Amino acid sequence: MASDAHSSLDDPRTHLRAFGGTFVVVALVVLLASVTVSLGIALLDAAGVDRESALGLALRSAFQFVGFGIAGAGFLLVTDQSDLVPVRRPTRQDLTWLVGGFFGLLGLFVAVSGLLSVLGIQGADSAIVAQGSDQPIYFLYLIPVTILLVGPTEELIFRGVVQGLFRRAYGSGFAIAAASAVFAAVHVTSYSGDGLLATLATVLVLGGVLGVVYEKSENLVVPAVIHGLFNTVQFVAVYATTTGLVSL
């Protein structure tokens, strides 16, 4: 995929397709996620599931990422760009990238977190952690959600569509950086507090790792699985500390 930048930079349509397409797909994500969450809440109410319970919150998250998936798949189908996102059954080489990428991502996260701690920089408060602080089972409910929906749909949007659009116009290096920046930007509402910039910078770096793995593997399944597993480790760790199974 590294050699997919065929468009002339002298043609304004090249920039319009990349930046305009990114704007459209992100706008669709916001719109359709809101719609699917609203419909999902109505279903929860009809089923008698408390929308503020651990299960209700996890299902609301699931509905949100269903919207992500519809937005990404819909954009590719309507614009006839399905070939922009390579998806196939993982090969042995893909599995190598998957394992290496997962442990690389995890190790980098630990290293960055340690560096910030040494520098006395506090990370931002997570909205997800706040939601589950008084009902830790919420974090366990999120595990199947993140493996089946969050990882696949976020990677479809940010690595598949956004990185693909930028790669086609400007090449892989710019595409990885730009897609990672968009990925970090949309996470602004997920965090709050004085450490917001440090946390978003961390998200930016981690997104870059996923972008590199995607370019190398040329298979969206690889970063999607890594993303889901990485989030799973985080949820298990938060559950363990919240419930007192592990003390820090």
Side-chain angles (χ1 to χ4, degrees), residues 39-102:
L39 294 174
I41 288 175
L43 289 174
L44 292 179
D45 292 342
V49 177
D50 182 358
R51 64 177 70 174
E52 298 301 325
S53 67
L55 178 59
L57 290 172
L59 289 174
R60 284 166 59 183
S61 178
F63 295 136
Q64 175 187 354
F65 288 99
V66 167
F68 273 51
I70 294 172
F75 177 85
L76 292 173
L77 290 173
V78 170
T79 60
D80 193 25
Q81 298 184 90
S82 298
D83 60 334
L84 192 66
V85 183
V87 177
R88 65 171 183 275
R89 184 175 180 176
T91 63
R92 183 171 299 179
Q93 182 70 18
D94 291 334
L95 294 177
T96 299
W97 280 111
L98 195 159
V99 173
F102 170 69

Side-chain angles (χ1 to χ4, degrees), residues 24-25 41-42 48 58 64 70 76-77 79 83 117 122 126 132 171 175 182 186 197 200 212 216 223-224 228:
V24 168
V25 76
I41 288 175
Q64 175 187 354
I70 294 172
L76 292 173
L77 290 173
T79 60
D83 60 334
S117 178
Q122 184 69 32
S126 167
V182 175
V186 300
L197 289 180
L200 291 180
V212 170
K216 295 297 185 180

Side-chain angles (χ1 to χ4, degrees), residues 134-196:
D134 59 347
Q135 42 186 352
I137 192 67
Y138 170 58
F139 302 120
L140 298 187
Y141 286 149
L142 284 178
I143 291 175
V145 175
T146 197
I147 291 175
L148 299 176
L149 289 171
V150 180
T153 61
E154 283 201 341
E155 292 308 301
L156 170 63
I157 297 296
F158 300 108
R159 250 58 65 182
V161 177
V162 175
Q163 189 164 310
L165 290 170
F166 282 121
R167 182 199 320 108
R168 188 168 57 191
Y170 309 110
S172 296
F174 183 92
I176 292 169
S180 299
V182 175
F183 180 62
V186 300
H187 281 80
V188 168
T189 57
S190 300
Y191 300 96
S192 61
D194 296 336
L196 180 60

Side-chain angles (χ1 to χ4, degrees), residues 212-235:
V212 170
V213 170
Y214 177 47
E215 291 297 313
K216 295 297 185 180
S217 66
E218 300 186 357
N219 184 3
L220 190 71
V221 173
V222 175
V225 173
I226 293 173
H227 192 150
L229 293 177
F230 177 77
N231 285 355
T232 295
V233 171
Q234 289 186 302
F235 292 144

